[in-house]
Amino acid sequence: MKNYLSFQLTGKQFFPLWALFYVLFIVPYVLLISQMRTFNHATECPLHHHLWALLWIILLIVIAFILAFYILKLIVRHIGFKDNLVQCDYKFSGYLKVIIPGLIFSVITLGIYSPWFIRNMHRFFINNASYKDKKFSFHGQATDLLLIYIFAVIIPIFVVTLIGISLFGLHMRHLIPVSRIIYQIVMYIILIPYIYLYYRWRVNIKYEEYHITWHTKWLPSMAKIALEMILSIITCGIYAPLAYLRVYRYFLMRTQSNKVENDYLQFGYDIQNGYDFLYLWGQILLTIVTAGIYYPWAFCKIMRRVLGKTYMEKIAE
């Protein structure tokens, strides 16, 4: 029997936090980007302008991490299943104990520590969440994520960059638009293994005796991601919302638990291609025409629709 998830958060409840994020992060960020473009076009730019920009970037990062805590807490506590909501015991002091050393060590190690930082972030948000007073736990390993970064991100980008330099020289930013677009598409395509491996790494969660992971095969999974990505590119992004849902459904249908007393958990999504596509685009367009003000309502409606058609069932063997 299929049992569906639910999402109880409303746009009205989400709006105050979003308004803070909008005013304290998005608006200053847009102004900063505009100012930095002015710096880039200037023949001479005083040092204090660069220092000012650096301070603003640091401040925006701090604001983003602080607000992200409260936004994620609000979202998680409104996810439901079988008429019960997920409980979360997120303490800001515990969050700071993860964020502060994580950012510092990631910077001083030039990013090498970032897999441990990301692992700790996942542990914080998953291990401190529970359902019916029984906790979830995250079991992804930082060393696995480091290997994913090295072999699926750093090495491929390094190789493609070397090829690009050998073909076009060091000043690749001066490429003609068509060549630049082709180069960007190639960069997106080579990151497909990373997308697959990273999300597979993330889905490694235990609840009671159930250990939930992806049961996927390498080549078909990457082919699915590549197909949806290519369709999104050739339609100039119009197909992208449906691409996301189709990828979501593909991997959700392959998300299972181990067997516990001859039963295992199977996840899935009841997709309606046409209706889902139009619904998502309707919410996206409303967000665009309101310059982001409608976003809390769009987000909550999309989450309610997607989670409302996401199910879990216990399969007996």
Side-chain angles (χ1 to χ4, degrees):
M1 178 180 176
K2 295 180 180 179
N3 294 289
Y4 291 85
L5 277 68
S6 63
F7 190 66
Q8 308 296 329
L9 185 63
T10 65
K12 185 177 180 180
Q13 292 171 309
F14 188 17
F15 181 74
L17 267 177
W18 172 252
L20 277 176
F21 186 77
Y22 194 94
V23 172
L24 297 179
F25 181 82
I26 293 179
V27 173
Y29 177 77
V30 171
L31 293 175
L32 176 63
I33 294 299
S34 176
Q35 191 65 37
M36 290 179 70
R37 286 180 177 175
T38 303
F39 292 165
N40 290 336
H41 287 93
T43 54
E44 293 184 7
C45 185
L47 178 61
H48 70 272
H49 284 181
H50 291 288
L51 293 175
W52 176 87
L54 179 61
L55 289 174
W56 264 110
I57 291 171
I58 294 172
L59 179 60
L60 288 176
I61 291 172
V62 171
I63 291 171
F65 273 107
I66 291 173
L67 292 178
F69 169 80
Y70 292 102
I71 290 172
L72 286 171
K73 183 176 181 178
L74 183 67
I75 291 170
V76 171
R77 67 195 303 179
H78 284 88
I79 297 174
F81 181 70
K82 286 186 175 181
D83 300 323
N84 290 283
L85 293 176
V86 173
Q87 299 95 38
C88 55
D89 185 25
Y90 300 157
K91 292 182 171 59
F92 190 67
S93 58
Y95 179 70
L96 290 179
K97 290 178 182 178
V98 174
I99 291 297
I100 294 174
L103 287 174
I104 292 173
F105 289 134
S106 294
V107 171
I108 63 178
T109 61
L110 301 178
I112 295 174
Y113 182 77
S114 60
W116 283 265
F117 178 32
I118 294 171
R119 189 274 314 272
N120 292 340
M121 286 282 288
H122 280 72
R123 282 184 177 177
F124 175 82
F125 283 106
I126 294 174
N127 292 12
N128 290 306
S130 61
Y131 178 74
K132 289 187 175 180
D133 298 321
K134 296 174 182 176
K135 285 186 172 292
F136 298 93
S137 60
F138 179 72
H139 292 268
Q141 298 299 314
T143 50
D144 294 337
L145 185 57
L146 178 63
L147 292 175
I148 291 171
Y149 281 164
I150 293 172
F151 291 102
V153 179
I154 297 173
I155 292 177
I157 289 178
F158 179 74
V159 171
V160 171
T161 301
L162 283 181
I163 294 173
I165 291 173
S166 65
L167 292 175
F168 306 110
L170 292 173
H171 302 289
M172 288 192 293
R173 64 178 182 177
H174 299 303
L175 293 174
I176 61 174
V178 174
S179 299
R180 191 179 302 172
I181 291 171
I182 293 173
Y183 180 76
Q184 289 295 326
I185 291 173
V186 170
M187 293 296 285
Y188 284 131
I189 291 174
I190 66 170
L191 288 178
I192 289 174
Y194 164 72
I195 295 171
Y196 166 68
L197 292 171
Y198 174 67
Y199 282 97
R200 184 178 181 181
W201 175 83
R202 289 183 65 178
V203 183
N204 193 346
I205 299 169
K206 281 188 177 181
Y207 178 76
E208 294 186 306
E209 293 86 11
Y210 294 103
H211 189 182
I212 301 165
T213 57
W214 277 4
H215 291 246
T216 54
K217 294 182 179 180
W218 169 269
L219 286 178
S221 298
M222 290 199 300
K224 178 63 176 177
I225 296 172
L227 173 63
E228 301 299 334
M229 184 181 290
I230 290 169
L231 289 173
S232 298
I233 291 171
I234 63 178
T235 59
C236 299
I238 295 173
Y239 177 78
L242 185 58
Y244 164 78
L245 283 182
R246 290 176 65 86
V247 170
Y248 173 73
R249 179 181 182 274
Y250 177 87
F251 287 106
L252 201 60
M253 296 293 291
R254 290 157 179 80
T255 301
Q256 299 175 357
S257 74
N258 58 315
K259 292 180 183 178
V260 178
E261 297 179 355
N262 295 322
D263 293 335
Y264 68 92
L265 303 179
Q266 171 69 58
F267 294 81
Y269 177 75
D270 294 334
I271 194 168
Q272 295 173 286
N273 289 313
Y275 289 113
D276 287 345
F277 175 76
L278 293 175
Y279 187 85
L280 289 180
W281 261 114
Q283 298 303 311
I284 292 169
L285 290 174
L286 285 171
T287 302
I288 292 172
V289 298
T290 59
I293 295 173
Y294 180 76
Y295 177 79
W297 287 269
F299 175 82
C300 292
K301 288 181 178 180
I302 290 172
M303 286 289 288
R304 194 173 302 120
R305 183 178 181 88
V306 173
L307 289 184
K309 298 200 295 178
T310 298
Y311 63 84
M312 184 191 76
E313 57 182 336
K314 186 177 288 188
I315 307 295
E317 286 193 351

